[in-house]
Amino acid sequence: READVVEEILRIYGFNKVPSPEKLNTSLPLLKKPNMDQWQNTLSEMLLGQGFSEMLNNSLTNANYVEKHGKEVLKSERNVEMLNPLSQELAVMRQSMLFSGLEVVAYNQNRQSPDLKLYEFGKTYHNFEANKEEHNHLTVFVTGNKAEKRWNSEETNVDYFYLKGFWG
């Protein structure tokens, strides 16, 4: 290619011997904003291909989860409370997707399904002094054995490195 030949000549002649222009013009390409739905669908297909199942949880949750968790990350004053809750278990909007995911894991393990690979796309809601905010998240839960129990293989429990292996 022409560009390669020119580069070789400049390298031999010396880049420092070529005068640089005083004014340099360039154009920046206009990039589209990423389509989050398309990105989410692509990631969802990848997870489904790896054997994960999607879970869909309610955004309403129990206010006690925040109080039991501690004051470092989640704070009860940041709860977005419902004006007329149906029950105490559905009184606030979730600040974390952890608790609803753990409920699903516990529900399945109590019904003799210990080997789980689950994911969920969802939102969390926060009540700050200035305004209320919602944030998009992806949560992934893996429990039990890496593979189904077979006569010719050992049972190996999942760990952090097993989960990390999906994303390299």
Side-chain angles (χ1 to χ4, degrees):
R1 292 185 351 204
E2 290 178 6
D4 295 332
V5 173
V6 171
E7 183 182 353
E8 287 299 317
I9 292 171
L10 285 173
R11 190 178 60 77
I12 294 169
Y13 179 71
F15 285 104
N16 57 343
K17 295 180 182 175
V18 177
S20 59
E22 291 187 25
K23 185 177 180 183
L24 184 64
N25 294 328
T26 184
S27 62
L28 298 173
L30 179 63
L31 299 176
K32 289 183 182 177
K33 187 176 180 181
N35 183 341
M36 293 308 288
D37 290 332
Q38 184 179 12
W39 177 85
Q40 183 174 324
N41 288 338
T42 302
L43 189 54
S44 183
E45 287 175 10
M46 186 213 58
L47 289 166
L48 289 169
Q50 294 290 335
F52 284 81
S53 298
E54 185 173 12
M55 60 180 171
L56 300 170
N57 290 310
N58 197 340
S59 293
L60 297 172
T61 189
N62 194 333
N64 293 334
Y65 288 149
V66 173
E67 294 169 10
K68 291 178 183 176
H69 182 267
K71 302 274 184 192
E72 291 83 31
V73 179
L74 305 177
K75 299 181 179 178
S76 57
E77 59 267 12
R78 290 194 183 148
N79 279 338
V80 178
E81 297 179 1
M82 302 304 297
L83 294 176
N84 190 13
L86 295 173
S87 69
Q88 194 60 27
E89 286 77 30
L90 302 172
V92 298
M93 303 291 283
R94 64 183 173 192
Q95 287 189 51
S96 171
M97 295 174 60
L98 175 67
F99 306 113
S100 56
L102 291 175
E103 283 179 349
V104 171
V105 169
Y107 179 87
N108 281 283
Q109 287 183 342
N110 290 336
R111 283 153 185 81
Q112 308 305 315
S113 293
D115 304 332
L116 302 170
K117 293 190 332 188
L118 305 168
Y119 74 96
E120 178 184 17
F121 289 99
K123 295 184 178 187
T124 58
Y125 305 89
H126 310 274
N127 185 14
F128 295 109
E129 290 179 18
N131 59 352
K132 292 179 174 46
E133 294 181 9
E134 63 181 47
H135 302 277
N136 294 317
H137 295 278
L138 165 66
T139 55
V140 178
F141 293 87
V142 181
T143 65
N145 293 317
K146 291 181 181 179
E148 290 183 35
K149 186 177 180 181
R150 298 206 169 121
W151 66 272
N152 61 350
S153 64
E154 296 180 17
E155 289 185 7
T156 309
N157 289 333
V158 297
D159 57 6
Y160 168 75
F161 298 105
Y162 175 74
L163 184 61
K164 186 179 180 227
F166 289 106
W167 285 277

